[in-house]
Amino acid sequence: MPSAAGPVAVASAGSVAKAAPSPAVGISPELYPSEDDLPYEEEILREPFKLKGWWRYLVARAAAPFTKRAVIYERALKALPGSYKLWHAYLRERLDHARPHPIDHPAYSSLNNTFERALATMHKMPRIWVLYLTSLLDQRLLTRSRRAFDRALRALPVTQHDRIWPLYLRLASLPACPVETSLRVFRRYLQFDPSHAEDFINFLISANRWQEAADRLASVLNDDGFRSVKGKTRHQLWLELCEILTKHADEVAGLKVDAILRGGIRKFTDEVGKLWTSLADYYVRRGLFEKARDVFEEGVSSVVTVKEFSVVFEAYTQFEQSMLAAKLEAAEEEGAEDEDERGGRKNGMDKLSKKFLEDFWLNDEDDTDLRMARFERLLDRRPELLSSVLLRQNPHNVEEWHRRVKLFEKDPARQVATYVEAVKTVDPMKAVGKPHTLWLAFAKMYEKHNRLDSAGDIFKRATQVNYKAVDHLASIWCEWAEMELRHNNFDKAIELMRQATAEPSVEVKRRAAAEGNEPVQMKVHKSLKLWSFYVDLEESLGTLDSTRAVYERILDLRIATPQIILNYAYLLEEHKYFEDAFKVYERGVKIFKYPHVKAIWVTYLTKFVQRYKRSKLERARELFHEAVQQAPPDEKKPLYLQWAKLEEDYGLAKRAMNVYDEAVRAVPNSEKMAMYEIYIARAAELFGVPRTRQIYEQAIESGLPDRDVLTMCMKFAELERSLGEIDRSRAIYVHASNYADPNNSDFWKKWNDFEIQHGNEDTFREMLRIKRTVAASRSQTHFILPEYLMQRDQRLNLDEAVDTLKRAGVPEDEMAALERQLASGPTTAPPAAQNTAPASANRMMNFVSAGVEAQAESSRQQAGNNEDIELPDESDDEEPDVQIAEKSVPAAVFGELGKRAAESQDGSSGAQENEQLGALERIKRRRQ
């Protein structure tokens, strides 16, 4: 290769082209400079040690063949051997040139030589080393690569080793790399960065170096400052170590496997089931089956979750099943060998030993039955073991203790042991459930086996336990007494109740107060449950005096309930102590307030009225007055009704009316309507229908809701109509229209029917006008109509009213017809129409009389001229006779008082049947 300082360097630019030497033999002419290269050649001749000229030359010849560019690179590097830029660009181009060729191509040899020449001056440049080492790894030159890595680590400073080690570890991980070499590489790397111990451990596991892998894992777990770069927890590392120790127990030595695994069990409590199974598996692989069984038993007896128990128990059952299957398989093989031996000859010693040891069970090597029984026993123990797990989670779970006792239904001794353990373990202050039920069940078990003395001892010990609630201790005393009752020990039961309800002495109270924590034994004498049971016993087995003493003690302790008051009063009534019973009621109504006192008041008033009736009427009235004064508005209605019933039965009707009048003012608005209906009904029955008018008016003005006022008005109007007071009824309808909804078809239909039956055109028109007025007042839109439209609406409404009256059968008024004719305009009627008259001469007046109709004896003739007005003569003699038809007065008008008057006059009535009867007589005859 021509050098940059050759003959061309001393020639001028003009003589270079003329005196160009002829090409040497074996060198391609393309490698020599061309005419286009002369400017760059002259520049590098002038300044051969400047990078800019050489770099400009290379950039200009970027499209030239690699061989020509290589010549330029070589010339430049010869002049500038320390240029990193030239070396890096040259090596990159050589790598790109050699990459398409196979690794045994000469281009790779030239590439490696070029790297070695570059490293002579660029040995401190890490990128050059990285390019070189990557190329060697791609060529799979392991030995040369390892040596190059060593040189790189020695040449570069430690701060730049992190760029070399990933490639070095890649070399160590190659399958073709010897294991020892890889191990040495990883050990060196851990000296550089100990945090990547997991990579080394993974490599050891992949290389089946279990001993060293276990040692490394153990050292990592013992290092408290170790942090996994792969995000693994210490628990996961523990599981990896356990897996190595258990699955490769024969290849790992020098580690205390049992201590390691037990340490993990104590430290990591979330998956202890897997650690227990790993420890047992370790002993199984070592052939220590009994030790493995002990580990399984320890595991199922120590886990605290059902999930972990399931894992350990499943592994335990698989172990026992595999042991049983292995024994059965071995027994079959031994049977085949025995048959072979029987076919051969046996020596005398074997026969003699078999003869003497044949019947000894210790000499029996077939323990299949034992293993089968052990396996079945394990399956039968599963509910018991599971119960133990749940109790280890919470030893104060009362319900779980009860379920555990049920597991030993066929073994009373185990039940007793379980109850003893339960009452010793469960703390009443921490118990989940009712701890006293354990004592009760324990005592009932002894009672079931007729061990009453033992049951009594258990109850006695149970009463000394400091429970969380007083009710628990009270239940113990009650169950103890009930047990005595079941065995007819009545006196013992009553004595137990007296002992339970006895108040502690002052000294005991002082001592408990000094301790600061008052036990439930200091409060049980105020337990209502105890006293209720005690009083039931006294009522059934004791005397009246003893029962009354118990009731009085309950009242003195201020623990009585309304039911206790009622029971006490019933007891006294049964024994004819009525005044004492009423005193009890009096005490009850003073102790309790509403709503609890309601039942006492109702019972008290009922019993008092039934007992004394009219004899102590004033006292009864005072009681009712006090009851309604104490009662809230929602509870006053039944009391007022009961009071009014008293007045009706034994008092005065006027007082009953006063009670009803007071009731309608005292009850809440939601019950006023119902109360008014009762008031009206009773007033009508007692004083007659006219008496109800005042009540109706009071109800309408009492402030009822509009819907109730409307209902009351309709009933009032119907009453007036039935009494013949048409004007009053119509006035009520007019007043009710103020509360009516235009869409309430029921009200307007009733008024419409009323006007059709009892009204005329004017009243009907007035009803329609009121309806329009109400609709307009309730409408949100107001219209201003012209005058002619209003007149047209009036004519239309008039026509509508007349048509409605005609359809109802009401004859047309002649004057109204004439007015309609005049209002419609002057028309000429035919003579026949003027001279003819309707067939019916009678016509209805404006109103129908209240039950009296005037009838003429002879029909009046139609006048020829309809406009003539007939006036009656002033003479009385010429007045035609008019017969007045009588109509019976409704019986409701007189009410119950009228009925009583009619009954009182029944005996003295001597009138004849053909005589005209009075109203009371007609009522009496009709009732009969």
Side-chain angles (χ1 to χ4, degrees), residues 594-659:
Y594 268 91
H596 309 290
V597 77
K598 176 182 177 182
I600 300 178
W601 269 119
V602 173
T603 308
Y604 184 18
L605 296 173
T606 303
K607 296 290 184 180
F608 190 88
V609 172
Q610 290 177 356
R611 171 65 180 168
Y612 293 109
K613 296 181 181 179
R614 67 176 73 250
S615 61
K616 293 187 179 182
L617 194 58
E618 289 299 327
R619 182 179 172 186
R621 288 169 180 166
E622 292 177 0
L623 289 177
F624 275 108
H625 181 72
E626 184 180 357
V628 297
Q629 289 296 326
Q630 292 184 8
D634 296 340
E635 304 291 344
K636 288 184 177 182
K637 180 180 176 181
L639 295 176
Y640 274 114
L641 294 178
Q642 192 174 359
W643 190 2
K645 186 71 169 57
L646 170 69
E647 295 292 348
E648 291 178 10
D649 293 342
Y650 308 111
L652 301 176
K654 182 178 180 181
R655 284 185 175 273
M657 292 298 102
N658 294 337
V659 172

Side-chain angles (χ1 to χ4, degrees), residues 335-380:
E337 293 178 358
D338 290 343
E339 292 180 359
D340 295 340
E341 290 179 359
R342 287 170 188 169
R345 298 177 62 185
K346 294 184 178 179
N347 54 22
M349 184 60 67
D350 293 339
K351 293 180 180 180
L352 185 62
S353 62
K354 182 176 182 181
K355 179 180 179 181
F356 285 105
L357 300 176
E358 184 176 4
D359 296 333
F360 288 89
W361 64 273
L362 289 174
N363 190 45
D364 188 8
E365 297 180 356
D366 187 8
D367 58 348
T368 306
D369 295 338
L370 176 61
R371 298 191 181 192
M372 180 67 73
R374 185 182 291 158
F375 180 64
E376 292 176 355
R377 171 63 178 161
L378 176 62
L379 296 180
D380 294 339

Side-chain angles (χ1 to χ4, degrees), residues 613-788:
K613 296 181 181 179
R614 67 176 73 250
S615 61
K616 293 187 179 182
L617 194 58
E618 289 299 327
R619 182 179 172 186
R621 288 169 180 166
E622 292 177 0
L623 289 177
F624 275 108
H625 181 72
E626 184 180 357
V628 297
Q629 289 296 326
Q630 292 184 8
D634 296 340
E635 304 291 344
K636 288 184 177 182
K637 180 180 176 181
L639 295 176
Y640 274 114
L641 294 178
Q642 192 174 359
W643 190 2
K645 186 71 169 57
L646 170 69
E647 295 292 348
E648 291 178 10
D649 293 342
Y650 308 111
L652 301 176
K654 182 178 180 181
R655 284 185 175 273
M657 292 298 102
N658 294 337
V659 172
Y660 283 121
D661 186 67
E662 183 180 349
V664 295
R665 291 181 173 86
V667 297
N669 293 332
S670 60
E671 297 180 356
K672 278 188 176 181
M673 184 64 183
M675 198 68 217
Y676 269 113
E677 292 177 351
I678 298 173
Y679 187 11
I680 292 170
R682 300 307 302 160
E685 184 177 353
L686 295 175
F687 295 96
V689 176
R691 176 69 173 79
T692 60
R693 287 174 173 168
Q694 180 182 356
I695 304 174
Y696 274 116
E697 293 174 0
Q698 176 184 344
I700 293 171
E701 297 174 358
S702 63
L704 290 172
D706 292 350
R707 182 180 60 183
D708 295 341
V709 171
L710 183 62
T711 304
M712 193 64 68
C713 288
M714 293 170 66
K715 291 182 178 181
F716 192 12
E718 182 64 23
L719 171 66
E720 296 292 351
R721 188 197 64 79
S722 64
L723 296 178
E725 297 292 342
I726 304 301
D727 291 340
R728 291 176 61 88
S729 180
R730 182 177 289 108
I732 294 171
Y733 275 117
V734 172
H735 179 73
S737 64
N738 297 323
Y739 305 97
D741 187 358
N743 298 324
N744 188 354
S745 59
D746 187 21
F747 169 75
W748 297 107
K749 183 177 183 302
K750 284 189 176 182
W751 195 1
N752 185 79
D753 296 341
F754 171 80
E755 293 296 345
I756 290 174
Q757 186 176 1
H758 304 287
N760 56 20
E761 296 177 8
D762 295 336
T763 59
F764 196 88
R765 182 170 57 187
E766 181 66 17
M767 184 265 294
L768 295 177
R769 184 191 66 78
I770 293 174
K771 184 176 181 181
R772 289 196 307 272
T773 303
V774 172
S777 64
R778 303 233 177 162
S779 176
Q780 297 181 355
T781 307
H782 302 277
F783 299 95
I784 300 177
L785 300 177
E787 184 178 358
Y788 74 94

Side-chain angles (χ1 to χ4, degrees), residues 66 120 334 389 586 791 838:
F66 173 72
E334 289 178 0
V389 172
E586 289 287 348
Q791 294 177 359

Side-chain angles (χ1 to χ4, degrees), residues 23-24 60 154 208 239-240 267 323 390 417 423 459 504 725 841 879:
R154 290 194 299 268
N208 298 330
L239 294 180
E240 291 182 5
K267 192 172 184 179
M323 293 292 293
L390 297 176
V423 296
F459 274 121
E725 297 292 342
E879 184 177 357

